[in-house]
Amino acid sequence: MNVRRHIVTPGIVAVAAVLLAVSAIVYAAGGQHGQDVAPAPQIVGSDIPAPPQPYVSTAQSAASPVALSSTLSYYFISGNTFTPGGPVSYSRQVTGCVNQMPLGIPFSAPVHLPQGSQVVSITLYTYDSVITTTTSTAHFILNDGKGNGGFTVSAKSPPNTSGYRQTNSAENNPVTIDNQNYNYLVEWRKDLSMPDSALLSLCGVRVAYYAPLSGALHLPIISK
């Protein structure tokens, strides 16, 4: 019995050594593969956040009224500064655009404007190298951190077009910036109702607003 035990034990050790060597080779190959291949895009599921709801500006708590400039000012947000609402794959382009993101995933960027400014519209800048029916939508959104808010204006990229495009919002729903009670952002996503085009790119969103006059930010001077 002791002799048999001495004969079998080396065989087990040899088999174990072979298995360990194979495992090391597979692990090394897998690690190299992970370095060279980008992760696949996340599969779009039912847990995608719903698009924002419309918001009526008159329902906003009134900020202190100020005198506004008669000419528009602009706040431009480059596409490659938007961040996704989840762990998804996408590509940043040297042109300042982003693409290859899944359908329905929101990309957002904060907006910081002077107190009392009045936002009146946005312009969406997109690019597609081929003609497809894929569309996308950008929203100007506000919320108060208590579940109240929504979008005031939105712009949609057109289908069946290629090249660089810019689309203005159509709603007439101005909103006054109240930095004390609200935060503001722009959200963009490819529309779920259309086929996907991985090459449809977000290149930027421009917010148009009337800025407060510099004198309106100070108390009036009273003279005798």
Side-chain angles (χ1 to χ4, degrees):
M1 182 66 66
N2 291 336
V3 173
R4 178 176 298 178
R5 182 179 299 123
H6 287 297
I7 294 174
V8 174
T9 301
I12 295 175
V13 172
V15 171
V18 172
L19 292 175
L20 286 173
V22 172
S23 299
I25 294 173
V26 171
Y27 177 82
Q32 184 66 32
H33 179 74
Q35 293 175 356
D36 295 340
V37 180
Q42 176 180 326
I43 297 175
V44 177
S46 59
D47 57 344
I48 295 174
Q53 297 299 311
Y55 184 88
V56 179
S57 296
T58 54
Q60 182 186 9
S61 61
S64 299
V66 297
L68 298 174
S69 170
S70 59
T71 59
L72 282 172
S73 297
Y74 298 96
Y75 183 94
F76 192 93
I77 311 169
S78 176
N80 62 8
T81 63
F82 281 69
T83 55
V88 298
S89 295
Y90 63 100
S91 177
R92 298 183 188 273
Q93 308 297 314
V94 295
T95 56
C97 306
V98 291
N99 62 15
Q100 300 183 38
M101 65 285 291
L103 284 171
I105 296 297
F107 278 65
S108 61
V111 175
H112 303 288
L113 295 175
Q115 177 76 5
S117 300
Q118 186 181 74
V119 174
V120 294
S121 66
I122 60 173
T123 302
L124 170 61
Y125 295 82
T126 55
Y127 173 81
D128 205 334
S129 58
V130 295
I131 296 177
T132 68
T133 57
T134 308
T135 60
S136 65
T137 306
H139 300 91
F140 182 81
I141 300 173
L142 71 159
N143 71 76
D144 64 356
K146 304 174 185 177
N148 303 311
F151 77 89
T152 62
V153 290
S154 63
K156 182 183 289 287
S157 64
N160 303 314
T161 60
S162 62
Y164 287 97
R165 301 284 298 183
Q166 63 182 75
T167 312
N168 296 323
S169 55
E171 301 96 337
N172 180 20
N173 190 24
V175 63
T176 299
I177 297 297
D178 178 6
N179 291 314
Q180 180 176 350
N181 297 302
Y182 291 86
N183 65 77
Y184 304 87
L185 60 99
V186 171
E187 182 183 281
W188 175 88
R189 67 179 78 199
K190 292 193 289 186
D191 299 323
L192 278 172
S193 59
M194 297 297 178
D196 188 13
S197 170
L199 299 179
L200 176 60
S201 305
L202 167 65
C203 296
V205 174
R206 187 181 69 183
V207 179
Y209 67 98
Y210 290 105
L213 296 174
S214 57
L217 301 178
H218 306 280
L219 292 175
I221 299 176
I222 300 176
S223 58
K224 295 182 180 180

